[in-house]
Amino acid sequence: MIKHLYVHIPFCPNICPYCAFYKESAGRERVEAFIDALLVEAKRHAPTLKPRTIFFGGGTPSALSFPQMERLLKGLHGCLDLSTVEEWTIEMNPATVDTKKARLLRSSGINRISMGVQSWDDTILKKLGRTHSAQKAEESFHLLREEGFNNLSIDLIFGTPEESLASWRQTLEKSLLLAPEHLSAYGLTYEEDTEFFRLLGRGLMKPNEHLEADQMELTIDLLGEHGYQQYEVSNYAKAGRESLHNMAYWLGSDYLGLGPSAFSTVQGHRWRNIRETGIYSSSTMAGATASDFQEELSPQILASERAAFGLRTHHGLDFERARPWQQAMEEHEKQGLLYRTKDRWLLTRKGLLLADTVGEIFF
Ligand code: SF4
């Protein structure tokens, strides 16, 4: 049985200039057709699915209207065995939070909210193309608390050009005042096919790697001082509040992805659903496959992925799994990027800052 379910909801109220996820603006008919198709796809997989974790990502899942969200949630409850779900997360844009929707989510079993705050500085939010203000994000956070959500994540981005170390510190301190159970802090990246990538190419945006490293170090120090464990390079949690769903990915569990562009990996077989929502919907409704790409993963590739993702977590990589890369591990140890305990390898502080580079060992 597959224990981890991802549902991709590709609609966004507006398109952020740095975002490379598959997403589109929501048109009512397209959303309704998408929900029909998603429920058909869920029914297809129901016999092999008994989720312990569910993650609604996107896109902006919370951009669905109340009736659309209600239909989707009722439909999933109707066709899947959800009796073993421990953690059910939804990504929410602060601009799309309201009391009625929050009550629906909670009464439907969703018990964890990952809120895309990104920054508490309105100038930076504008630069990132976000539609919410810092004030709206704060109101949304309090609303979710009042509605009984006791597992909230504040998701932040650092490294936006013009964001000083002082401004980033204020964003961290403001987040800490709200005392979420979980925080994620990702450095801004410039992905192909984004507006920021084009601006970078034209020399109109200039990343500052040294400042970004300082911002990340500040994050590690400040959140650590306030009792948040850095359990993965970009993720911090109070004890027992790590994301079970993401840990399952990083530690190599099988997972099923529903919805356009979603990936699944089951017993060494990986496939990706059709990326275009209209084609995904019509293909699924016509009884055809929802996927347009698949591959068999060799044991070596699975071991490489497991090693690369595992090393980024606080579990590190045990010596047995690391054996094929022993020499490279020792070289990285000499460079101060890795250290060892009695049975495993872990990233040093310097290694955490250069985790992507260290991960190249495995591929
Ligand atoms: S960052 Fe989030 S809200 Fe912005 S376009 Fe991407 S998925 Fe949509």
Side-chain angles (χ1 to χ4, degrees):
M1 282 290 187
I2 302 166
K3 295 195 174 74
H4 306 286
L5 171 64
Y6 174 76
V7 177
H8 191 78
I9 300 173
F11 307 105
C12 289
N14 73 304
I15 304 301
C16 305
Y18 58 90
C19 177
F21 292 119
Y22 176 67
K23 74 280 174 187
E24 59 179 86
S25 304
R28 197 180 161 279
E29 278 175 24
R30 248 173 120 73
V31 178
E32 298 299 338
F34 155 80
I35 295 172
D36 289 341
L38 193 101
L39 294 175
V40 165
E41 200 193 1
K43 266 182 216 146
R44 266 185 210 167
H45 290 283
T48 59
L49 195 56
K50 196 159 187 197
R52 182 177 164 231
T53 70
I54 304 178
F55 196 104
F56 277 14
T60 305
S62 57
L64 295 191
S65 67
F66 181 90
Q68 289 164 345
M69 184 64 81
E70 188 177 41
R71 187 159 84 83
L72 174 62
L73 290 167
K74 272 194 182 154
L76 289 177
H77 274 282
C79 68
L80 298 179
D81 178 354
L82 302 181
S83 61
T84 51
V85 174
E86 287 172 45
E87 178 190 278
W88 189 342
T89 303
I90 183 169
E91 289 180 339
M92 290 194 93
N93 177 325
T96 58
V97 175
D98 63 53
T99 305
K100 202 172 159 203
K101 220 183 264 180
R103 288 184 183 162
L104 169 67
L105 299 178
R106 210 163 122 66
S107 64
S108 304
I110 292 178
N111 56 14
R112 183 171 182 273
I113 308 279
S114 181
M115 199 162 78
V117 173
Q118 317 310 359
S119 170
W120 294 104
D121 179 333
D122 281 333
T123 314
I124 301 296
L125 287 173
K126 216 168 192 175
K127 182 111 194 162
L128 289 170
R130 305 294 295 189
T131 49
H132 68 272
S133 63
Q135 190 186 336
K136 173 64 184 165
E138 185 170 357
E139 287 165 9
S140 296
F141 186 92
H142 290 307
L143 186 152
L144 292 169
R145 273 284 190 249
E146 280 156 21
E147 291 306 320
F149 286 97
N150 66 4
N151 199 359
L152 297 177
S153 177
I154 289 181
D155 304 334
L156 302 171
I157 290 179
F158 62 89
T160 307
E162 293 165 32
E163 181 183 52
S164 64
L165 191 58
S167 164
W168 176 244
R169 176 185 279 279
Q170 281 170 7
T171 279
L172 291 172
E173 287 174 344
K174 172 74 187 175
S175 302
L176 288 168
L177 278 179
L178 294 171
E181 285 67 34
H182 185 283
L183 281 144
S184 66
Y186 285 89
L188 181 67
T189 53
Y190 296 81
E191 309 283 343
E192 274 185 59
D193 291 331
T194 64
E195 181 59 19
F196 275 11
F197 184 78
R198 284 184 281 280
L199 292 172
L200 183 72
R202 287 161 54 201
L204 298 173
M205 289 189 86
K206 292 196 170 50
N208 181 337
E209 285 176 18
H210 294 296
L211 178 57
E212 282 176 40
D214 289 346
Q215 289 172 329
M216 183 159 172
E217 289 218 64
L218 178 64
T219 310
I220 297 170
D221 290 337
L222 210 51
L223 299 192
E225 283 163 22
H226 286 79
Y228 291 86
Q229 186 188 19
Q230 186 181 20
Y231 71 101
E232 195 269 346
V233 172
S234 306
N235 288 277
Y236 305 79
K238 292 280 188 186
R241 297 310 189 111
E242 300 83 7
S243 161
L244 298 177
H245 187 85
N246 287 337
M247 280 304 284
Y249 280 149
W250 297 326
L251 298 181
S253 299
D254 284 352
Y255 57 90
L256 180 76
L258 301 178
S261 82
F263 276 91
S264 303
T265 303
V266 179
Q267 293 178 356
H269 183 64
R270 177 167 295 158
W271 67 94
R272 185 194 61 203
N273 277 356
I274 297 165
R275 278 175 66 89
E276 206 281 323
T277 305
I279 301 174
Y280 159 82
S281 301
S282 55
S283 177
T284 307
M285 294 309 286
T289 175
S291 70
D292 62 359
F293 164 83
Q294 36 190 312
E295 62 179 337
E296 292 303 323
L297 301 170
S298 66
Q300 288 78 7
I301 289 187
L302 286 169
S304 295
E305 290 186 355
R306 169 71 181 76
F309 287 117
L311 185 61
R312 293 172 70 91
T313 72
H314 66 312
H315 293 296
L317 186 61
D318 64 66
F319 291 156
E320 186 55 37
R321 284 186 199 277
R323 201 183 299 273
W325 303 281
Q326 182 67 22
Q327 198 182 336
M329 303 297 278
E330 286 172 9
E331 280 162 17
H332 282 70
E333 182 185 33
K334 281 189 204 133
Q335 293 167 31
L337 295 164
L338 294 174
Y339 71 100
R340 45 182 127 185
T341 63
K342 65 178 189 336
D343 63 350
R344 61 195 55 240
W345 292 97
L346 291 156
L347 291 165
T348 60
R349 167 67 71 103
K350 187 175 162 196
L352 286 165
L353 298 177
L354 296 169
D356 291 347
T357 310
V358 178
E360 288 168 11
I361 294 174
F362 307 107
F363 298 100

